[in-house]
Amino acid sequence: MFLKMVKNDLVRNKIVTVTVFVFITMAVILAASAIHNIASLIQGMSKFQESAEPADITVMHAGEFDQAKIDQFTEQYREHIAVQETMVLQNIDGSDIQIGQHQTMAETIQDISFVVQNKNFDFILDINNERLDVKEGYVAVPIYFMEQYDLHIGDSITVKSGWYEKMFVISDYARDYEMNSPLTSSKRFVINQSDYNQMLKMQAGELEYLIEFKLNEGGDAAAVQTAYNEAGLPANGPIIEGKIFTMFNAMSDMVVALVIIFISMLLIVIAALCIRLTFLATIDEDIKEIGVMKAMGISQKGIKKIYLSKYKVVSIAAGIIGYLLSFAAVNLLNGNRRLYIASDLSGNLNYLLALIAPIFVYVMIVLYCNRVLKRVDKISAVEALRSDIMERSKKRKYSFPLQKNKFLSLNSYMGLRDIGKRFKLYRLLFVIYIVCTFIVILPVNMYNTLNSPEFSSYMGIGKQDMRIDLRRTDRITDDFITLQEEFKNDNDIEKYAPYITSSYQVKHADGTWHNLNIEIGDFSVFPLKFLEGRAPEEEGEISLSLANAAEDGLNKKVGDKVTVEAGGKEQTLTVTGIYQDITNGGKTAKAHTSLGVNEASVLWYIVSINLAEGVAIREKMNYYQNAYSTAQVNNIEEYTKQTLGTIIDQMEIVVIGGISIAIIIAILVTALFLRMLLAKDMSQIAIMRSVGLTLRQISYQYMAGTLMVLLVGIILGALAANFLGELLVSMGMSSMGASKIEFVHVIWQTWLLCPVVLLAAVGLTILMSCKAAVKDDLSAVLRS
Amino acid sequence: MTNIIEASSMTKRVALGKNTELSILRDINLKVKKGEFLSVMGPSGSGKSTLLYNISGMDRMTSGSVKYQGREIGSLKEEDLAKIRLGTMGFIFQDINLLKNLSLIDNIMFPALAAADANKHTISQKAKQLMKMTGIEKIADHTSTQGSGGQLQRVGICRALINNPDIIFGDEPTGALDSKATEEIMSILAEINKTGTTVMLVTHDVKVAAKTERILFMIDGKIVSQKKMRKYDARQDDRKEREESIMKWLMENGL
Ligand SMILES: Nc1ncnc2c1ncn2[C@@H]1O[C@H](COP(=O)(O)OP(=O)(O)OP(=O)(O)O)[C@@H](O)[C@H]1O
Ligand SMILES: [Mg+2]
């Protein structure tokens, strides 16, 4: 009887077994490769860090500079500081760098500088994580640009600035721990010392200094920063802590890996649901046999073993195969990591760690099976043999009588009422359709959100057509003034507003002073979305970015006071609002113009511009770009796109993957479910046919039922993706400085395209499944 | 009188293995007149049920011809066969075969609703009338697990009648019933037959056969003999004689 049952089960549920197998395999592939990638990401990051030896504190400064004072400071804080080194950047405008015949790098939002390799630390590496050693006439180009402009080793770029003109041949990719990420707004090109000296001599670029500190083990970064500020040392640019670089480097890969692990979890849930469905179906059918076995004295354990052993075998096989296949899948999604962080990694630790996935899946499946099999315990021998009688005695109120159907055709009504009658069965399908819709719509929403102009509101920028950034130069203030004069007279400009960001000292709760970059200007012209409160409108008002207002920042709420020092004068400002910002490490602030510019440490000038209707944005951009060589003109959409480029690209893969997985799941599960349902309903179908219904009419019933479940599933899944998904993504993004992401819904995609794709896939599957279930002779079923 | 069914040289074979076939029906030639009341007898496994299923088009015959109301069953598409079944045939089975999730009255109304050539109200009136006629109006809203065998068989009959069929097929409709219930079911069928509906039953029960006017006897997939009688009339007290003569005829045929 044992053998007979196992054999029966295999024959009866061939498709189920295969489907469960496929799902488990897919889950293992995804989870194992994601774990593998996380492990190699961590390993790669640490190797990368080892070779690059990034600075613990980096101060950016443009303008007057005295190294002697810095040396003095370094000596004074020897207990914290191990080494200090200053890197001198020669900033070159993107429009001065020519690629090929006609193209320049003018469009980039990145600051470009030419440097030589440091002596002590913060090394820029090649693609093999070796320190770059660039020969004369050659250049190592940041990976970001190699990708963006599709450059190759051997191509050449020409730098043309003032009197200076030189062609460089690209000899290497420059892998730059500190400035790899598109989220860091500067990129460093590495050249040979003699080329560098010549450039310096001809004053090709504006100079900027990176004053870098490497701390002793256990050195206190915050203390050094405070001391640096208090010493009044040059710092008119941002001060950056080393760990931010690490986060920027790892972020996009981490996000993708986590999304994949999430999808793989959903797959495990689906596999579990399929197993549940089969168990319920087979145990129902075998209920008499179970009773007989119990009556014969076979223990419950023994009986369960029969059911369990199959899924043990299936999950072990799927685990092994999935694990092996994950080796191939691993490289599909780590292209970014291999390029930016580490190309090839030795060691087998990743493989070992990836083993967690199949083991975890196996344990989950077995635990779940055991849970479902609790049902066997409840079947007593007598009960099992009398299950018919049990059923008969149940008196329930008759629901959905045919006479009540006023609007639908008989077959649609039969299909729909079946859901009500057997909701327990359809529930599984329902859950799976919700999950499928979720898997499709969540990535689509994320993709659309990242890609939309509205995303700028998470970057602390109000909605605007175009923005001009002025680089730190000696002419910056003059340029800023002439620019504004010109705007006043330009009829194509509907409105504009200048913003100046400078660095101030702010008092923390513990009384210590820290740097805070505050942007001042009129924030009513280009209103920014506020999480809480409003923009600063009057004297004495300030608003903080979420990360700044958070507990590990200034720990302030709307209405609290903040003490700021500028030019030796202390001012107390009231917090009027909190906004989201993922730029500059998430820590920014905005204040009313009356706060005054901190002349000593102006960081940057920005002018936001809206053009009059009908003005060609591209032409305007070109005009201002050419007229002001130190300006960087961007339209805002491009700005967000370039900043988020890698994440958007990876999200694209996830969207496509999500849609394919969802469709595969929807098709497989629907086919599986209908096969089971049709087998269960074989006699009912035969009865309907004997009465005179055509097969088409009967499949219509199943179609109506299943599609109804799908429709409701799509609606709930889309709602879940929109609301729950928003919550999930916001949680994930909160560490970056945005805690309340509002998805951009593209209505036709959410409510038309996704449903239509799923409906078509499922509808076709239903049609095929119903066709496949046809047996020609009715008598075979009717007289059994 | 015209024939409602004309079968000639009809056979049914099924594949058992790769190369083995089983002949279930061989060379069936049969004419059934409109309004006739006939029964089929024969040992178990002789092909009686198969005969019903094949001449009604529920199964596909292997070769030969069956004309139903002048149309060749073998050349009709599934859709057309379904339409014919829905509109002109009624079936009664030994194990009744009701739809589980429908109440008894809904089971009865179901074929009429599927045919949809009357409005719902008319259909439900008709169903109620039929249930009254067969004496089960009280359990209309019960489900199929809540009735006795005899009651459920009446539901089956009502369902078969709801679309005013031209012919009713019964595969041992009384096979699971006690003699009293059998008696009642047979008188209902006789009533129906009186209104001009053709009735063709498969039965093992001589008492049932005795109430029909023609009996076919099958062995090994062949109709080997038939016996014609007068139409049964309850007023002429000849039941015993009819039954005895059938018994004798069966013995002659080797049962
Ligand atoms: N689809 C089939 N495949 C194989 N054998 C079949 C099939 N259908 C019927 N048979 C066989 O054909 C023979 C005739 O079956 P059928 O049910 O017509 O007999 P019957 O006269 O109705 O018997 P009973 O009086 O027991 O109901 C039987 O031996 C049966 O096993
Ligand atoms: Mg039979």
Side-chain angles (χ1 to χ4, degrees), chain A residues 777 779-780 783, chain B residues 14-16 22-25 42-51 94 171-172 202 204:
Chain A
D777 285 355
S779 68
R783 57 173 157 179
Chain B
V14 290
L16 283 184
L22 177 70
S23 274
I24 309 177
L25 295 177
S44 195
S46 55
K48 306 181 291 292
S49 301
T50 310
L51 178 68
Q94 176 174 349
D171 191 357
E172 301 184 41
V202 168
H204 284 285

Short mmCIF file of all heavy atoms in Angstrom, two decimals, chain A residues 777 779-780 783, chain B residues 14-16 22-25 42-51 94 171-172 202 204, ligand 1:
data_model
loop_
_atom_site.label_atom_id
_atom_site.label_comp_id
_atom_site.label_asym_id
_atom_site.label_seq_id
_atom_site.Cartn_x
_atom_site.Cartn_y
_atom_site.Cartn_z
N ASP A 777 -15.05 10.26 -24.55
CA ASP A 777 -16.19 9.47 -24.11
C ASP A 777 -16.61 9.83 -22.71
O ASP A 777 -15.85 9.75 -21.76
CB ASP A 777 -15.84 7.97 -24.16
CG ASP A 777 -15.84 7.48 -25.61
OD1 ASP A 777 -16.19 8.28 -26.50
OD2 ASP A 777 -15.49 6.31 -25.82
N SER A 779 -18.91 8.36 -20.93
CA SER A 779 -19.33 7.24 -20.09
C SER A 779 -18.22 6.84 -19.13
O SER A 779 -18.48 6.44 -18.01
CB SER A 779 -19.71 6.06 -20.96
OG SER A 779 -18.55 5.56 -21.61
N ALA A 780 -16.96 7.00 -19.58
CA ALA A 780 -15.84 6.58 -18.76
C ALA A 780 -15.92 7.22 -17.38
O ALA A 780 -15.55 6.61 -16.37
CB ALA A 780 -14.53 6.96 -19.44
N ARG A 783 -19.98 6.49 -15.34
CA ARG A 783 -20.45 5.25 -14.71
C ARG A 783 -19.42 4.64 -13.78
O ARG A 783 -19.50 3.48 -13.45
CB ARG A 783 -20.85 4.25 -15.77
CG ARG A 783 -19.71 3.95 -16.73
CD ARG A 783 -20.13 2.85 -17.63
NE ARG A 783 -19.32 2.90 -18.86
CZ ARG A 783 -19.49 2.02 -19.82
NH1 ARG A 783 -20.39 1.07 -19.71
NH2 ARG A 783 -18.75 2.09 -20.88
N VAL B 14 -12.66 -0.42 -27.87
CA VAL B 14 -11.75 0.46 -27.12
C VAL B 14 -10.37 -0.17 -27.11
O VAL B 14 -10.23 -1.39 -27.14
CB VAL B 14 -12.21 0.68 -25.66
CG1 VAL B 14 -13.45 1.53 -25.61
CG2 VAL B 14 -12.41 -0.63 -24.94
N ALA B 15 -9.36 0.70 -27.11
CA ALA B 15 -7.99 0.20 -27.05
C ALA B 15 -7.66 -0.16 -25.62
O ALA B 15 -7.93 0.60 -24.70
CB ALA B 15 -7.04 1.28 -27.55
N LEU B 16 -7.11 -1.34 -25.46
CA LEU B 16 -6.72 -1.74 -24.10
C LEU B 16 -5.23 -1.51 -23.89
O LEU B 16 -4.81 -0.84 -22.98
CB LEU B 16 -7.04 -3.22 -23.87
CG LEU B 16 -8.52 -3.53 -23.59
CD1 LEU B 16 -8.70 -5.00 -23.27
CD2 LEU B 16 -9.05 -2.67 -22.44
N LEU B 22 -10.60 -4.08 -27.51
CA LEU B 22 -11.71 -4.84 -26.97
C LEU B 22 -12.96 -4.41 -27.70
O LEU B 22 -13.24 -3.21 -27.83
CB LEU B 22 -11.83 -4.55 -25.47
CG LEU B 22 -12.99 -5.21 -24.75
CD1 LEU B 22 -12.78 -6.73 -24.65
CD2 LEU B 22 -13.17 -4.59 -23.38
N SER B 23 -13.71 -5.38 -28.23
CA SER B 23 -14.98 -5.04 -28.86
C SER B 23 -16.07 -5.05 -27.81
O SER B 23 -16.34 -6.09 -27.21
CB SER B 23 -15.33 -6.08 -29.94
OG SER B 23 -14.71 -5.70 -31.14
N ILE B 24 -16.67 -3.92 -27.59
CA ILE B 24 -17.74 -3.88 -26.59
C ILE B 24 -19.10 -3.98 -27.25
O ILE B 24 -20.01 -4.62 -26.75
CB ILE B 24 -17.66 -2.58 -25.76
CG1 ILE B 24 -16.24 -2.38 -25.21
CG2 ILE B 24 -18.63 -2.65 -24.59
CD1 ILE B 24 -16.06 -1.10 -24.46
N LEU B 25 -19.23 -3.38 -28.40
CA LEU B 25 -20.47 -3.53 -29.17
C LEU B 25 -20.11 -4.07 -30.55
O LEU B 25 -19.17 -3.60 -31.17
CB LEU B 25 -21.18 -2.18 -29.32
CG LEU B 25 -21.70 -1.52 -28.04
CD1 LEU B 25 -22.30 -0.16 -28.38
CD2 LEU B 25 -22.73 -2.39 -27.34
N GLY B 42 -29.67 -8.07 -20.09
CA GLY B 42 -28.50 -8.87 -20.47
C GLY B 42 -27.57 -8.98 -19.29
O GLY B 42 -27.67 -8.20 -18.34
N PRO B 43 -26.67 -9.96 -19.35
CA PRO B 43 -25.77 -10.16 -18.22
C PRO B 43 -24.84 -8.96 -18.03
O PRO B 43 -24.65 -8.15 -18.94
CB PRO B 43 -24.97 -11.40 -18.61
CG PRO B 43 -25.12 -11.54 -20.07
CD PRO B 43 -26.44 -10.93 -20.43
N SER B 44 -24.25 -8.89 -16.86
CA SER B 44 -23.32 -7.81 -16.55
C SER B 44 -22.15 -7.83 -17.52
O SER B 44 -21.60 -8.89 -17.82
CB SER B 44 -22.83 -7.99 -15.11
OG SER B 44 -22.23 -6.81 -14.68
N GLY B 45 -21.81 -6.69 -18.05
CA GLY B 45 -20.68 -6.62 -18.97
C GLY B 45 -21.04 -6.91 -20.40
O GLY B 45 -20.16 -6.97 -21.26
N SER B 46 -22.32 -7.04 -20.69
CA SER B 46 -22.69 -7.39 -22.06
C SER B 46 -22.75 -6.17 -22.97
O SER B 46 -22.92 -6.30 -24.17
CB SER B 46 -24.05 -8.11 -22.04
OG SER B 46 -25.00 -7.31 -21.37
N GLY B 47 -22.65 -4.98 -22.39
CA GLY B 47 -22.59 -3.80 -23.25
C GLY B 47 -23.85 -2.97 -23.27
O GLY B 47 -24.03 -2.11 -24.13
N LYS B 48 -24.71 -3.16 -22.29
CA LYS B 48 -26.00 -2.44 -22.28
C LYS B 48 -25.79 -0.93 -22.12
O LYS B 48 -26.33 -0.13 -22.89
CB LYS B 48 -26.88 -2.96 -21.13
CG LYS B 48 -27.08 -4.47 -21.12
CD LYS B 48 -27.96 -4.91 -19.99
CE LYS B 48 -27.35 -4.75 -18.60
NZ LYS B 48 -26.21 -5.63 -18.31
N SER B 49 -25.01 -0.59 -21.09
CA SER B 49 -24.77 0.84 -20.86
C SER B 49 -24.08 1.45 -22.07
O SER B 49 -24.44 2.53 -22.55
CB SER B 49 -23.88 1.04 -19.63
OG SER B 49 -24.49 0.48 -18.50
N THR B 50 -23.09 0.72 -22.57
CA THR B 50 -22.34 1.22 -23.72
C THR B 50 -23.27 1.51 -24.89
O THR B 50 -23.11 2.50 -25.60
CB THR B 50 -21.27 0.19 -24.12
OG1 THR B 50 -20.56 -0.19 -22.95
CG2 THR B 50 -20.30 0.78 -25.12
N LEU B 51 -24.26 0.65 -25.05
CA LEU B 51 -25.22 0.86 -26.13
C LEU B 51 -25.92 2.21 -25.97
O LEU B 51 -26.00 3.00 -26.90
CB LEU B 51 -26.25 -0.28 -26.14
CG LEU B 51 -27.36 -0.16 -27.20
CD1 LEU B 51 -26.78 -0.33 -28.59
CD2 LEU B 51 -28.47 -1.17 -26.95
N GLN B 94 -28.14 5.41 -12.79
CA GLN B 94 -28.32 4.65 -11.56
C GLN B 94 -27.87 5.48 -10.36
O GLN B 94 -28.56 5.60 -9.37
CB GLN B 94 -27.53 3.34 -11.60
CG GLN B 94 -27.62 2.59 -10.29
CD GLN B 94 -26.97 1.22 -10.38
OE1 GLN B 94 -26.62 0.74 -11.45
NE2 GLN B 94 -26.83 0.56 -9.24
N ASP B 171 -30.21 4.47 -17.50
CA ASP B 171 -29.27 3.37 -17.28
C ASP B 171 -29.48 2.84 -15.87
O ASP B 171 -28.98 3.39 -14.91
CB ASP B 171 -27.83 3.87 -17.47
CG ASP B 171 -26.83 2.71 -17.51
OD1 ASP B 171 -27.26 1.55 -17.33
OD2 ASP B 171 -25.63 2.98 -17.71
N GLU B 172 -30.27 1.79 -15.78
CA GLU B 172 -30.65 1.21 -14.50
C GLU B 172 -31.12 2.27 -13.51
O GLU B 172 -30.58 2.41 -12.41
CB GLU B 172 -29.48 0.42 -13.90
CG GLU B 172 -29.06 -0.69 -14.84
CD GLU B 172 -27.97 -1.56 -14.23
OE1 GLU B 172 -28.09 -1.85 -13.03
OE2 GLU B 172 -27.03 -1.92 -14.96
N VAL B 202 -32.18 0.62 -19.44
CA VAL B 202 -31.39 -0.59 -19.21
C VAL B 202 -31.77 -1.09 -17.84
O VAL B 202 -31.89 -0.31 -16.90
CB VAL B 202 -29.89 -0.26 -19.23
CG1 VAL B 202 -29.07 -1.45 -18.71
CG2 VAL B 202 -29.44 0.12 -20.63
N HIS B 204 -31.88 -4.70 -14.96
CA HIS B 204 -31.72 -6.10 -14.58
C HIS B 204 -33.01 -6.67 -14.01
O HIS B 204 -33.12 -7.85 -13.76
CB HIS B 204 -30.64 -6.23 -13.49
CG HIS B 204 -29.26 -6.09 -14.00
ND1 HIS B 204 -28.64 -7.08 -14.70
CD2 HIS B 204 -28.37 -5.08 -13.92
CE1 HIS B 204 -27.42 -6.69 -15.03
NE2 HIS B 204 -27.23 -5.45 -14.56
N1 LIG C 1 -13.70 2.62 -21.76
C1 LIG C 1 -13.64 1.29 -21.60
N2 LIG C 1 -12.41 0.70 -21.60
C2 LIG C 1 -12.31 -0.62 -21.45
N3 LIG C 1 -13.34 -1.40 -21.26
C3 LIG C 1 -14.58 -0.90 -21.25
C4 LIG C 1 -14.78 0.48 -21.41
N4 LIG C 1 -16.10 0.73 -21.33
C5 LIG C 1 -16.69 -0.47 -21.13
N5 LIG C 1 -15.79 -1.44 -21.08
C6 LIG C 1 -16.06 -2.86 -20.93
O1 LIG C 1 -17.04 -3.17 -21.83
C7 LIG C 1 -17.91 -4.12 -21.29
C8 LIG C 1 -19.31 -3.65 -21.37
O2 LIG C 1 -19.52 -2.63 -20.43
P1 LIG C 1 -20.96 -2.07 -20.08
O3 LIG C 1 -20.83 -1.14 -18.93
O4 LIG C 1 -21.60 -1.56 -21.30
O5 LIG C 1 -21.74 -3.37 -19.61
P2 LIG C 1 -23.17 -3.47 -18.94
O6 LIG C 1 -23.89 -4.42 -19.77
O7 LIG C 1 -23.74 -2.12 -18.76
O8 LIG C 1 -22.82 -4.09 -17.55
P3 LIG C 1 -23.59 -3.88 -16.16
O9 LIG C 1 -24.82 -4.65 -16.23
O10 LIG C 1 -22.64 -4.43 -15.16
O11 LIG C 1 -23.79 -2.42 -16.02
C9 LIG C 1 -17.45 -4.39 -19.89
O12 LIG C 1 -16.70 -5.56 -19.87
C10 LIG C 1 -16.58 -3.19 -19.57
O13 LIG C 1 -15.56 -3.59 -18.69
#
